[in-house]
Amino acid sequence: MDTDALTADLLRELRATRPYPALSLTMPTHRKAPDNAQDPVRLRNLVTEAGHRLDADPEVSREVAAALRAQLERAAEEVDPRGALDSLVLLVTTDDYRIWQLPRTAPERVVLSDTFLTRNLVAAKAQTRPFRALTVAADHATLWIGTGDGLRPERTGGFPLTAPKEPPNPQREERIGDTPSTFTDEETRNFFRDVDEKLRAVLADDPRPLYLMGLAPALALLDEVGESSRSAVGRVAKGAPADLPPAEVLRELRPALEEGAHQAAAEVETRLDNARSAHAFAGGLDEVWAAVREGRAGLVAVEEHFQATVRVADEHLEPVPEGTAQSADGAVREDIVDELVEAALDSGADVVFVEDDSLAEHGRIAAALRY
């Protein structure tokens, strides 16, 4: 699955408690040759390790171990190397499995628990800055969901929408002397009201930045008859044919997306500056970790590629030598940044990823505190 498919409802489902053991397997992967040649070998080794862990676990019966191993084998065989990004996550139970290829690295791990390990998914989704785009014309509206790397039509909430076709009415044309303008026609206005109502419902269920694309009269009519367009962070005044391919939509949206990213970065910088002035600022991994654990972080900003392995001691984070592996007792954590991101989002904080080196003076991560 893609990270843009990780909705709030799906995340709640993945976090739900399950019969032990639910198996989570994570590993880094490579997008291109020759480095990607090692990925199948590493996956096979982790699958073997998972099998050994199942066999050695006294809480797992032979029947359950066999069923879980079979599902894990199926999942591993289904992994498509052509879709490899920066990491692979397999979530497996005795009767189901999920495959995620993520644009964010993850450490090699095999975890047996009564819940899935989701922090890598959550951090990857936050980093990719998911958005929605509505392409709208007089007779159709398509909702798209995507990231800076890709875009796909979203088939939810009734989208895509097509306006009902009205038969020609010669008598009406004779009365008014001509056919009405497309965007003043009452049928078109009703169609746009329907678009607005359905779009508001989708955004309420899963809020994401919204971009609009369509002819100027279409965008003006959407503004006039509804409320959803008020939240749009960017607009592209261009025709939106119903069969426009995803790559073309993304190309047309690119300037608006880049401007949206610049605006978002400026807003983050302003919030952090205000936090420093108000002495409500935390900088560095240990300070931000403590603030997140206490529920005080309102905004957490993280550099794009910041990863750290640490030792947790007395509720503080201590750096460890490079290459130190995750420890069985949980004291050494390879994915502490992703864990922090997930915890911050759980507490209601905003999490944003910023350009590398932009937080160098603050230890690559910073937070604006609620109090």
Side-chain angles (χ1 to χ4, degrees), residues 1 9 20 26 48 52 75 127-128 142 147 155 166 176 189 194 221 246 249-251 269 280 293 302 309 339 349 353:
M1 292 187 181
D9 287 343
Y20 183 87
T26 70
T48 300
H52 293 329
Q127 184 180 23
T128 54
T142 302
T147 67
R155 303 190 181 279
E166 296 290 331
I176 64 175
R189 296 174 67 86
D194 189 32
L221 179 56
V249 175
L250 188 59
R251 186 180 71 81
E269 187 173 347
R293 284 172 56 87
V302 189
T309 302
E339 187 175 339
F353 285 82

Side-chain angles (χ1 to χ4, degrees), residues 181-212:
S181 169
T182 301
F183 294 104
T184 60
D185 182 83
E186 190 60 28
E187 285 78 14
T188 302
R189 296 174 67 86
N190 286 336
F191 172 62
F192 272 52
R193 292 188 185 101
D194 189 32
V195 171
D196 174 76
E197 180 181 354
K198 287 180 167 54
L199 180 57
R200 281 188 285 119
V202 171
L203 294 175
D205 182 61
D206 184 22
R208 301 185 184 204
L210 174 68
Y211 293 83
L212 302 175

